[in-house]
Amino acid sequence: MNTGFFGDIKKIKYEGPESTNPLAYRFYNPDEVVAGKRLEDHLRFAVAYWHSFAWPGGDPFGGQTFERPWFGDTMENAKLKADVAFEMFSLLGAPYYCFHDADVRPEASTFAESAARLDEIADYFADKQKKTGIKLLWGTANLFSHRRFMSGAATNPDPDVFAYAAATVKKCIDVTKRLKGENYVLWGGREGYETLLNTDLKREQEQAGRFLSLVVDYKHRIGFKGTILIEPKPQEPTKHQYDYDVATVYGFLKKFGLENEVKVNIEQGHAILAGHSFEHELALANALGIFGSIDMNRNDYQSGWDTDQFPNNVPEMALAYYQVLQAGGFKTGGTNFDAKLRRQSLDPQDLLIAHIGGMDCCARGLKAAARMIEDKALSGPLEERYAGWKSAEGKAMLSGKRTLEEIAERVVKKKIEPQPKSGRQEFLENVVNRYV
Ligand code: XLS
Ligand code: NI
Ligand code: NI
C-alpha cells in the first residue's frame, strides 16, 4: 500500500559524485566495501521518528508550520504516520529507525490505556519490519514532554513520578525487545535542575542511580540483549542536566557500579553545547570503554541552541568517524539522524533531501577516515610521538616498578634534561586536509 505522500518518487539510488539529481546518492553506495565492510554495515543509518514525523515545525515564537495528513491524536492518524514513516525509510534505503513512545501513539487518559495503544502500534511496526526488513536501532521513552515530568522523571521530588517513569521505561523496554531493538536509550531530558534553591542535588543523584540500576536489572531478567545507552547533554531543557558529558556520565556509572553495563549515545550537537568537540567525546568514550552509538546532528554554531540540523560539515565528520573506526566501529550502535528540517522546509521532498544529504556527508566522512587509517596518516606520527615509552625505563615507570624516589634519583644520576620536540599540529592538520 502506498500513501501517496511522496508522490511518484522512486527508491533513492546511488548515482555517483557527478550526478546532479537531488534525489540520488552521490557518495553513499551501501554496497561499496570500505576497510573490509559494506558502507551500509559501517554506518548503520537510522531515521528519528520524532523529528521527521511528529514535530510540527514550531519555534519559541510560532507554532505549527508543517501540514501533515497524519497530524491529530487518533490511532488512525498514528497508523497513517507509521505508513508514511516506513515508506520513507524504504525510499531512502535506511536500514534502521528510532522512536519514543510519545512519537508513535497518542497519549490516553490512563497509563494502562496509553500502554495498550503502544502495544497496538508495536504490532503494526512488527508487521512492517517483517515486510520491509527495516530494523529498530533503539527505542526510548519520552520522559520530558508531558507536564507530569516538568520537575524530572527519575530525579523528581515526587516518588509517584519516579514510579510512573519506571513503569513507562519498563513498557518501552518490553516493546523495544519485542521489536528486536538493538539498543535502549535513556536521555535525561528533565533530569537536572533550574535552581539549587529548590533542588536536593545529592538526593536526585541517588534517585537517578537507583533508577538506572532497576533498568539494568530488568534488562537482564527479561533477557533483553540490546545495549543500554545514556545520551549526555549539558543543558536544555534544564539549565543544568545531570548527564552533562561523557566524563560526567562515566563518573556516575562508576559510582553506581554500572560502567560495564551501560554505554553512551553521543550527539554531535550536545558535545558542542558541553564545550567539547564531537571527536573529543567519541575518543573519551572509547578510552573509557563506553562508546556505543551516535546522534549525527549539528547545531548552529552561532545560536547556542540544540538546533538539531542535518550534518553537512564533511571535514568535521571525517574526524568523528575516525574516532568511531578507532573504537572498532559500531557494534550494536549506529548513525542516528536526530535531526529536523528547518521550519520553512515544508515539502515532502525536503524530508528525503535532508536525509540524502546527511547520508552522503557521512559516507564521505567515513571513507576519508578509513583512508587515513589505512595510510597510518595520523597513527604513524602518533606512534612516533610516544615511542619513548617503549624503552625499558618508560615501561618500568608506568608498570609501578619504580617509586617516586627511584625516578628522582635516576634523573640526577643520568643528568636527564628533556629536550622539547615539536607537536607538529599544522603538519597534521595539513595531512587531514589531503583526505577531506
Ligand atoms: C534531545 C535528545 C533526544 C534524544 C532521545 O536533545 O537528543 O532527541 O536523542 O530522547
Ligand atoms: Ni539533542
Ligand atoms: Ni539525541
Side-chain angles (χ1 to χ4, degrees):
M1 191 205 61
N2 187 317
T3 64
F5 180 72
F6 292 104
D8 56 6
I9 296 170
K10 301 272 160 349
K11 189 170 167 141
I12 310 301
K13 289 211 269 310
Y14 171 73
E15 292 184 4
E18 302 309 319
S19 172
T20 56
N21 177 3
L23 292 168
Y25 294 115
R26 295 189 298 133
F27 301 94
Y28 177 58
N29 176 4
D31 293 319
E32 182 178 341
V33 174
V34 172
K37 229 168 48 178
R38 290 171 65 251
L39 266 187
E40 182 176 271
D41 302 331
H42 266 297
L43 291 161
R44 297 167 57 86
F45 287 127
V47 174
Y49 212 93
W50 51 103
H51 285 316
S52 287
F53 306 107
W55 184 62
D59 73 7
F61 298 91
Q64 177 174 349
T65 57
F66 300 146
E67 286 169 346
R68 307 293 195 216
W70 58 86
F71 281 176
D73 51 13
T74 66
M75 286 300 278
E76 284 66 45
N77 289 140
K79 286 179 184 169
L80 175 60
K81 174 159 55 169
D83 293 341
V84 174
F86 275 79
E87 254 166 49
M88 187 173 94
F89 310 153
S90 302
L91 283 175
L92 289 169
Y96 290 98
Y97 71 110
C98 304
F99 70 89
H100 303 82
D101 51 355
D103 311 329
V104 302
R105 57 99 185 101
E107 172 128 2
S109 55
T110 65
F111 178 89
E113 180 56 23
S114 294
R117 290 180 179 183
L118 184 59
D119 278 331
E120 191 179 335
I121 291 293
D123 288 341
Y124 204 64
F125 282 177
D127 186 49
K128 287 181 179 295
Q129 288 186 194
K130 208 162 150 203
K131 285 190 182 124
T132 59
I134 288 156
K135 294 169 282 183
L136 178 61
L137 186 65
W138 45 265
T140 188
N142 179 328
L143 303 178
F144 44 89
S145 294
H146 194 280
R147 64 194 289 276
R148 75 172 68 87
F149 298 121
M150 71 177 190
S151 310
T155 62
N156 200 289
D158 179 354
D160 278 353
V161 179
F162 180 99
Y164 197 101
T168 306
V169 168
K170 176 193 173 292
K171 182 74 210 168
C172 289
I173 294 180
D174 289 345
V175 163
T176 301
K177 179 175 182 253
R178 175 138 59 97
L179 294 172
K180 300 191 174 63
E182 299 187 23
N183 308 268
Y184 184 84
V185 165
L186 293 148
W187 171 60
R190 300 277 170 193
E191 314 292 23
Y193 64 83
E194 303 304 326
T195 172
L196 282 176
L197 297 178
N198 67 9
T199 303
D200 183 340
L201 192 145
K202 185 169 193 294
R203 171 186 283 279
E204 293 199 1
Q205 287 281 326
E206 294 295 332
Q207 289 178 208
R210 181 93 296 271
F211 194 91
L212 188 59
S213 303
L214 288 167
V215 168
V216 168
D217 170 61
Y218 183 66
K219 164 201 155 149
H220 288 306
R221 277 189 296 107
I222 64 168
F224 174 58
K225 296 278 174 270
T227 310
I228 304 283
L229 300 169
I230 288 187
E231 185 174 321
K233 187 175 184 180
Q235 75 265 339
E236 201 205 286
T238 71
K239 174 179 159 57
H240 183 105
Q241 303 252 142
Y242 292 132
D243 298 331
Y244 197 94
D245 59 3
V246 168
T248 310
V249 168
Y250 186 72
F252 170 76
L253 294 176
K254 269 291 221 199
K255 177 166 157 78
F256 294 97
L258 296 169
E259 71 273 18
N260 298 320
E261 295 283 357
V262 177
K263 295 188 169 11
V264 280
N265 179 40
I266 305 171
E267 180 165 311
Q268 197 272 359
H270 298 182
I272 306 297
L273 285 179
H276 302 303
S277 65
F278 192 24
E279 61 267 28
H280 165 86
E281 290 289 81
L282 295 165
L284 185 60
N286 182 25
L288 295 170
I290 58 169
F291 171 68
S293 198
I294 64 175
D295 274 5
M296 186 50 113
N297 42 283
R298 68 191 163 99
N299 293 347
D300 182 292
Y301 281 151
Q302 281 84 52
S303 77
W305 299 332
D306 188 14
T307 53
D308 288 333
Q309 290 172 249
F310 282 86
N312 68 353
N313 188 325
V314 175
E316 279 182 3
M317 293 160 78
L319 293 178
Y321 279 112
Y322 184 81
Q323 296 301 335
V324 170
L325 292 177
Q326 294 289 96
F330 296 121
K331 308 272 176 338
T332 62
T335 302
N336 174 43
F337 294 111
D338 188 355
K340 58 182 178 239
L341 295 174
R342 297 308 87 192
R343 71 196 292 270
Q344 299 176 51
S345 303
L346 302 178
D347 299 342
Q349 280 209 9
D350 291 322
L351 276 171
L352 296 168
I353 287 171
H355 284 90
I356 291 167
M359 289 159 82
D360 261 347
C361 288
C362 289
R364 283 179 82 174
L366 185 114
K367 285 193 245 187
R371 276 187 286 120
M372 287 196 277
I373 289 177
E374 194 177 278
D375 294 353
K376 295 194 169 32
L378 297 175
S379 58
L382 198 71
E383 204 181 310
E384 221 178 286
R385 191 160 189 237
Y386 292 88
W389 286 100
K390 285 189 184 148
S391 67
E393 197 50 38
K395 284 184 185 154
M397 284 195 293
L398 273 196
S399 60
K401 289 202 180 100
R402 298 282 183 271
T403 63
L404 198 65
E405 301 93 290
E406 285 166 347
I407 294 172
E409 217 170 277
R410 185 171 154 270
V411 169
V412 174
K413 225 198 286 157
K414 299 261 177 192
K415 297 197 171 62
I416 292 175
E417 298 295 337
Q419 294 308 308
K421 288 191 194 106
S422 172
R424 305 174 82 203
Q425 181 169 336
E426 297 78 5
F427 163 76
L428 294 165
E429 285 166 351
N430 294 357
V431 167
V432 170
N433 238 354
R434 294 210 311 262
Y435 290 85
V436 297

